[in-house]
Amino acid sequence: MSLITRRTVLVGAGAGLLSGCDKLTDNTTFRKTLFSANKVNEAIQRAVMNRNALAPTYTPEQMSPIFRANGTTRPAGEAYAAHVASNFADWRLVVDGLVARPMSLSLAAIGTMPARAQITRHDCVEGWSAIGQWHGTPLHIILDAAGLRTNAKYLVFHCADTRGGRRYYESIDLIDAFHPQTMIAWGLNGRRLDVAHGAPLRLRVERQLGYKHAKYVERIEAVADLSGVYQGGGGYWEDVAGYEWYAGI
Ligand SMILES: Nc1nc2c(c(=O)[nH]1)N[C@H]1C(S)=C(S)[C@@H](COP(=O)(O)O)O[C@H]1N2
Ligand SMILES: [Mo]
């Protein structure tokens, strides 16, 4: 069963095009090919795959010597620059929306929570991958502390960066939110997360493609539906370019 993955179909449909070029997503034919494969596969995947299954993990020897950074690599503006200058001492992760106990967590508070580490492969829709070790706080621990209300169905991750005037954001459902490998990461390869990779906090949602892994997360909002959130697509790239909301791999 595990052979029938999105990746199998994706590679079958687009292998010749996946050359790692940044501009591939500008190519409409490429994206149409990719996403029609994704659509078929999403149906297969929903039918046969266990969404709670773990993403593959790797050994330290398999880690990529260089982990590429992509998308925003440094949010613009004075506010973020001030956070960098103070080493994120005043950064807060707000958890609100449909929760019993809204929270505003400092990095120090997050640092007292149980942590995990995992070596996983990041797969970008543009055709590159990198294996790295992520350190972070399992998202379910933060959600349990906040106490999700029974009508909460999705989590929205609001980011500190904008692209072309639109805020970057992403969203996931509760299956991925409570998946044991889903975490709010604050470390990569044994170091504090650097600015290029999303400092100080970013989402890791290991069963999905790279664009779902929101960097520079400053707010997690629990909602009942996504239609009223930004443009309603559930994510920046979903709104802007029609990327699939569920980007399972
Ligand atoms: N806030 C924010 N998160 C983001 C992006 C972005 O531009 N802004 N780009 C996404 C994409 S397309 C990818 S592939 C990964 C890249 O993560 P990396 O820079 O750590 O490699 O971040 C994702 N998360
Ligand atoms: Mo990506």
Side-chain angles (χ1 to χ4, degrees):
M1 253 352 152
S2 64
L3 288 178
I4 307 171
T5 61
R6 174 180 297 265
R7 179 134 296 268
T8 309
V9 178
L10 189 155
V11 167
L17 296 165
L18 294 172
S19 70
C21 171
D22 251 334
K23 294 286 169 230
L24 276 179
T25 46
D26 294 340
N27 179 326
T28 320
T29 316
F30 169 76
R31 276 209 295 107
K32 280 205 177 122
T33 310
L34 185 63
F35 287 122
S36 60
N38 276 358
K39 270 211 159 60
V40 172
N41 198 51
E42 185 177 336
I44 297 171
Q45 192 168 29
R46 286 242 157 104
V48 303
M49 286 195 69
N50 173 11
R51 289 202 39 215
N52 289 310
L54 296 179
T57 53
Y58 299 84
T59 64
E61 295 70 41
Q62 292 173 299
M63 281 163 55
S64 305
I66 293 170
F67 199 112
R68 181 172 154 176
N70 201 39
T72 302
T73 51
R74 188 179 193 97
E78 285 174 22
Y80 187 82
H83 282 301
V84 173
S86 66
N87 208 11
F88 301 100
D90 299 319
W91 190 271
R92 291 292 180 276
L93 176 65
V94 170
V95 184
D96 65 0
L98 300 174
V99 298
R101 295 174 290 280
M103 303 187 300
S104 172
L105 299 168
S106 66
L107 298 186
I110 292 170
T112 66
M113 294 174 161
R116 65 172 281 128
Q118 61 207 18
I119 302 177
T120 52
R121 194 182 69 192
H122 177 100
D123 294 313
C124 173
V125 72
E126 293 170 4
W128 59 273
S129 299
I131 296 174
Q133 182 174 39
W134 297 98
H135 312 263
T137 303
L139 181 57
H140 63 84
I141 289 176
I142 295 172
L143 297 178
D144 285 341
L148 278 188
R149 294 195 184 279
T150 52
N151 52 343
K153 283 186 74 178
Y154 304 96
L155 295 168
V156 180
F157 299 83
H158 301 266
C159 305
D161 58 318
T162 55
R163 299 176 60 82
R166 292 168 183 253
R167 186 156 301 274
Y168 201 95
Y169 79 103
E170 260 303 337
S171 62
I172 59 176
D173 65 15
L174 297 188
I175 298 177
D176 271 329
F178 284 93
H179 186 282
Q181 290 171 317
T182 299
M183 59 156 83
I184 295 298
W186 32 255
L188 172 60
N189 295 346
R191 295 160 182 261
R192 285 277 293 273
L193 205 55
D194 61 323
V195 167
H197 293 97
L201 300 172
R202 66 100 53 88
L203 174 65
R204 293 299 307 170
V205 50
E206 303 292 357
R207 299 291 310 278
Q208 296 207 48
L209 287 170
Y211 61 87
K212 300 297 291 187
H213 300 233
K215 306 195 281 189
Y216 318 109
V217 174
E218 49 188 13
R219 179 181 172 210
I220 303 174
E221 181 189 12
V223 300
D225 77 285
L226 296 168
S227 60
V229 180
Y230 298 94
Q231 302 304 302
Y236 170 86
W237 283 112
E238 292 88 329
D239 285 345
V240 168
Y243 282 25
E244 292 289 310
W245 175 75
Y246 185 73
I249 44 177

